[in-house]
Amino acid sequence: MSHVFPRHTKSVMPTAVRGEGIYIYDSNGKSYLDGSGGAAVSCLGHSDPDVIAAIKSQLDSLDFAHTGFLTSEPAEALATRLIKHAPEGIDRVYLVSGGSEAVEAALKLSRQYMLEIGQPKRTKFISRRQSYHGNTLGALGTGGNMWRREPFDPVMVSASHIAPCYEYRGRAEGESAEDYGLRVANELETELLRLGPETVIGFLAEPVVGATAGAVPSVPGYFKRIREICDQYGILLILDEVMCGMGRTGTFFACEQDDVAPDIITIAKGLGAGYQPIGAMLCTNEIYGAIEQGTGFFQHGHTYLGHPVACAAANAVVTKLTDGGLTKRSATMGKYFEKALHAEFGQHPHVGDIRGRGMFRALEFVSDCGTKTPFDPDKRVAARLKAKAMENGLICYPMNGTIDGHHGDHVLLAPPFISTEAQIDELVGKLSDSLAAIL
Ligand code: PLP
């Protein structure tokens, strides 16, 4: 009898015992193609010898050193490596153990920054509907998935939400993509004026929305206008790249493709690639400088900040993503993946949209492509697809609530960057069979 507290008390899950390349094997020897890298985590696949060697070698020299007393070589090297590839102005790295921790650090640092620069009235955050920023109370409070928020609403940090940049559903007929982008970006200004711009700390968004809406990139010009508004009203732009960063969309940081530099960026998932739990919050020298010249310390911290073994793993991962060419591979293999998805599902009567960037793709399901009508939530399309795909040896990431937290279904696909064309074909084939079986 298990004593593990599982995610769902009513489901019995297979036991994973081994991972190799893009496959995971259970205790019965069944293989699963990891078509979503778990949840966009395993960018290098499952048995990378260089990352494993880096972890073993680190353990042979130093297991742990508390950052309240000491820094460590792997933490220093990782920060240097990340900054070398970071957007303009980003200069400091705060190393944590996962995505929610990175977002919490970003929220608290932004508030402390406003205090340091003498703007204590700034207490509010604005984010977008259908975003996900993590499950801790601060991160969940800024997130825009109503279903996830509902039970905890009374005990959460509250934030206000503007529309996402979700072209498939939001762009009006006859409206250009650019005009649509400007219209939804301008909602930030409207909301700032409603709240009183002098009361707002920052705006938080995922450059490519992941779990809750399914690989939704913004349209050209959207983030440039967002940056302009943030600058005009003196609020911070915080980009959450926990899921879409680290090469997932074909560039090391996702926001490179939107040609925008934020004040703070959060990363996790692909940073440890599943080999170690690690995340980071990166900020500009201006923000760091305000802390340095002011209080002198960031009033935050966790026991496992900058864990040497996690940092050693992440150093090996980042080296492979950058010098090793795997981010470039995400871009080129991503194009093949996009073509394969269009070839298989382009004419599908229940696939309304195929979207994403690099090795970060999604299909949105509809009952009618012409009217974009979603399936009745009682049909449980996402849940049934997940179960059928597992039966067929495919791990993918279907979700419901795509449109508003309750309606709509999509499947998120985020295979390892090392996938070959044949393996992408295998993923698409297994997804197609699974979809045919449930619809
Ligand atoms: N931010 C984004 C954009 C995410 O997708 C996630 C997780 O899916 C998080 C934050 C939270 O990360 P974690 O689950 O590592 O706490």
Side-chain angles (χ1 to χ4, degrees):
M1 195 197 131
S2 176
H3 291 282
V4 170
F5 195 139
R7 286 187 180 235
H8 295 284
T9 57
K10 305 252 176 339
S11 66
V12 182
M13 281 181 300
T15 303
V17 291
R18 187 165 68 85
E20 201 176 307
I22 72 160
Y23 298 93
I24 293 182
Y25 298 84
D26 72 14
S27 50
N28 294 319
K30 180 172 173 175
S31 70
Y32 303 84
L33 191 159
D34 193 358
S36 54
V41 172
S42 301
C43 51
L44 306 184
H46 290 280
S47 48
D48 189 285
D50 299 327
V51 186
I52 294 168
I55 292 170
K56 286 182 174 166
S57 152
Q58 182 57 42
L59 277 170
D60 283 338
S61 56
L62 173 69
D63 55 345
F64 174 68
H66 195 285
T67 49
F69 306 93
L70 296 152
T71 185
S72 71
E73 283 170 359
E76 294 294 334
L78 179 58
T80 303
R81 211 167 246 125
L82 287 169
I83 292 305
K84 188 171 159 207
H85 299 281
E88 201 193 327
I90 297 289
D91 195 52
R92 290 280 169 168
V93 182
Y94 190 85
L95 294 159
V96 294
S97 304
S100 301
E101 278 191 16
V103 171
E104 293 291 335
L107 299 176
K108 285 180 71 181
L109 180 66
S110 320
R111 166 64 184 160
Q112 190 176 332
Y113 169 71
M114 291 304 176
L115 293 175
E116 304 283 4
I117 63 168
Q119 302 198 16
K121 286 207 191 102
R122 292 192 184 266
T123 56
K124 297 170 189 159
F125 289 98
I126 303 176
S127 52
R128 304 189 296 181
R129 293 191 290 278
Q130 289 310 98
S131 59
Y132 181 61
H133 298 298
N135 255 333
T136 47
L137 289 176
L140 190 64
T142 48
N145 183 282
M146 297 311 149
W147 173 79
R148 288 182 202 247
R149 295 173 56 95
E150 245 163 43
F152 307 102
D153 239 357
V155 292
M156 264 180 342
V157 170
S158 71
S160 53
H161 298 96
I162 62 169
C165 186
Y166 180 9
E167 188 180 9
Y168 174 62
R169 296 218 171 254
R171 180 159 67 87
E173 238 181 270
E175 187 177 35
S176 72
E178 285 77 6
D179 286 348
Y180 165 63
L182 281 182
R183 174 164 64 81
V184 276
N186 284 334
E187 282 198 23
L188 176 59
E189 185 170 40
T190 309
E191 184 59 12
L192 274 164
L193 295 174
R194 189 184 74 82
L195 294 170
E198 69 290 348
T199 67
V200 177
I201 297 172
F203 175 65
L204 174 64
E206 298 161 82
V208 180
V209 183
T212 48
V216 183
S218 65
V219 299
Y222 172 82
F223 273 107
K224 282 208 166 266
R225 177 66 189 132
I226 290 284
R227 177 76 267 184
E228 245 172 47
I229 298 169
C230 291
D231 290 344
Q232 185 181 345
Y233 293 97
I235 70 165
L236 298 176
L237 174 58
I238 306 164
L239 292 182
D240 182 353
E241 298 209 1
V242 164
M243 194 179 250
C244 62
M246 301 296 96
R248 179 51 67 190
T249 64
T251 45
F252 190 59
F253 285 95
C255 63
E256 290 169 41
Q257 292 175 62
D258 298 297
D259 202 16
V260 74
D263 301 294
I264 295 179
I265 311 183
T266 54
I267 52 173
K269 298 197 187 255
L271 176 62
Y275 291 85
Q276 287 288 293
I278 183 165
M281 182 268 296
L282 289 72
C283 73
T284 59
N285 205 24
E286 197 179 327
I287 296 176
Y288 180 78
I291 305 286
E292 191 184 29
Q293 320 279 299
T295 309
F297 63 95
F298 176 24
Q299 202 171 325
H300 192 56
H302 302 286
T303 302
Y304 283 136
L305 291 187
H307 193 286
V309 181
C311 290
N315 270 309
V317 172
V318 173
T319 302
K320 299 201 90 152
L321 292 176
T322 55
D323 305 346
L326 279 176
T327 294
K328 282 202 185 94
R329 189 180 167 93
S330 166
T332 49
M333 197 50 71
K335 288 212 171 79
Y336 180 83
F337 191 17
E338 181 181 25
K339 264 197 215 131
L341 289 171
H342 278 279
E344 185 67 31
F345 300 108
Q347 302 304 317
H348 195 289
H350 297 300
V351 175
D353 195 25
I354 302 171
R355 58 185 175 237
R357 290 178 182 164
M359 291 291 257
F360 198 40
R361 303 276 166 185
L363 309 179
E364 182 168 334
F365 305 119
V366 287
S367 70
D368 183 315
C369 279
T371 59
K372 301 185 183 176
T373 310
F375 281 104
D376 183 336
D378 289 344
K379 274 198 160 14
R380 299 177 57 253
V381 168
R384 288 189 301 120
L385 177 60
K386 182 177 172 187
K388 184 51 78 178
M390 282 292 281
E391 201 182 304
N392 289 342
L394 172 67
I395 297 173
C396 55
Y397 191 175
M399 257 329 254
N400 60 339
T402 316
I403 303 168
D404 56 9
H406 292 286
H407 299 94
D409 299 272
H410 67 264
V411 62
L412 187 66
L413 304 164
F417 308 165
I418 58 163
S419 304
T420 62
E421 291 185 357
Q423 288 169 335
I424 292 291
D425 293 345
E426 185 187 341
L427 187 171
V428 171
K430 284 187 161 156
L431 181 63
S432 183
D433 292 348
S434 310
L435 198 57
I438 64 130
L439 289 183

